[in-house]
Amino acid sequence: MQELRKLELRDKNQLEQLIEKISINLENEFFWLPITDESREHFFDDKWTYFLGMFEKEKLIAAVGLFLNKNEYEESAKKLQLQDKNIAEIGRAMVLPEYRNNGYMKQITKELVKYAEGHGIKYLVATAHPQNIPSQKALEALGMIRKGSCIKQGKYERDIFFLKNDEA
């Protein structure tokens, strides 16, 4: 049986292992943005990142973050003219290869949208590489709409997806 819950500091090693497995099993190396040291330092800082994880028998099999800081969503916000708005970015979506196609990503991201609504976040953005069709489909299934593109970290092309939270 699976358990969906907020990642805590005790999950740090499992999150690092999940990140490592995902990064070495990529179909295209440009699908994954490198994680900056600053971002990594704040994975368990509730004012910066809210990570949800799916566990099976205490094993982390999937995780997605809701990034509440400008460091993560700044390029997208500028492109969509949402600077200084109440915004967050859904990102770092990862599922172990052997657990894919079971709806875990959809379940986690829906919970993140609910969390955002409950915390007054009005705008949600997410980005995906233009050729990463599974990620794009997952974002569209949330009701997100492709609104443009940007370059992240100076060289990573991304399509930008947007969702306005009318409940917030």
Side-chain angles (χ1 to χ4, degrees):
M1 177 156 178
Q2 287 77 31
E3 174 192 14
L4 177 62
R5 66 172 171 79
K6 180 183 181 293
L7 294 186
E8 299 172 7
L9 195 52
R10 66 184 165 118
D11 303 311
K12 183 177 181 177
N13 288 338
Q14 285 200 70
L15 179 59
E16 290 294 342
Q17 290 170 6
L18 179 62
I19 290 167
E20 180 66 23
K21 282 186 178 182
I22 296 303
S23 63
I24 63 174
N25 286 298
L26 290 173
E27 175 185 326
N28 176 331
E29 68 179 292
F30 290 101
F31 283 8
W32 185 259
L33 293 172
I35 300 171
T36 65
D37 290 339
E38 184 178 22
S39 290
R40 196 177 295 270
E41 288 171 13
H42 292 282
F43 277 170
F44 299 96
D45 176 349
D46 289 344
K47 292 180 181 171
W48 187 281
T49 307
Y50 181 80
F51 255 113
L52 285 179
M54 183 68 73
F55 292 81
E56 183 174 86
K57 297 178 183 172
E58 298 299 316
K59 176 184 178 183
L60 181 62
I61 60 172
V64 185
L66 182 67
F67 296 92
L68 310 166
N69 63 84
K70 190 184 285 189
N71 183 55
E72 300 290 342
Y73 61 71
E74 188 169 32
E75 292 99 340
S76 302
K78 281 181 184 176
K79 187 73 174 187
L80 299 177
Q81 299 179 343
L82 294 173
Q83 298 98 314
D84 302 318
K85 302 287 184 186
N86 196 355
I87 186 171
E89 181 167 345
I90 294 173
R92 295 285 167 215
M94 27 189 174
V95 179
L96 287 173
E98 63 269 28
Y99 289 92
R100 291 182 181 157
N101 300 311
N102 287 300
Y104 298 135
M105 195 57 50
K106 187 175 184 177
Q107 188 177 351
I108 297 169
T109 53
K110 279 186 174 185
E111 288 301 315
L112 288 174
V113 170
K114 286 180 191 176
Y115 177 87
E117 287 173 359
H119 287 80
I121 296 168
K122 189 159 185 90
Y123 302 100
L124 290 172
V125 295
T127 65
H129 188 278
Q131 295 173 1
N132 190 341
I133 304 306
S135 288
Q136 291 185 14
K137 286 182 178 180
L139 296 172
E140 289 168 348
L142 276 178
M144 298 188 95
I145 300 167
R146 185 187 175 283
K147 287 287 195 176
S149 61
C150 69
I151 303 296
K152 289 197 117 182
Q153 298 181 8
K155 67 178 182 178
Y156 296 94
E157 185 180 0
R158 292 290 180 265
D159 286 338
I160 305 170
F161 292 80
F162 170 81
L163 179 67
K164 183 176 180 183
N165 243 336
D166 292 323
E167 304 297 319

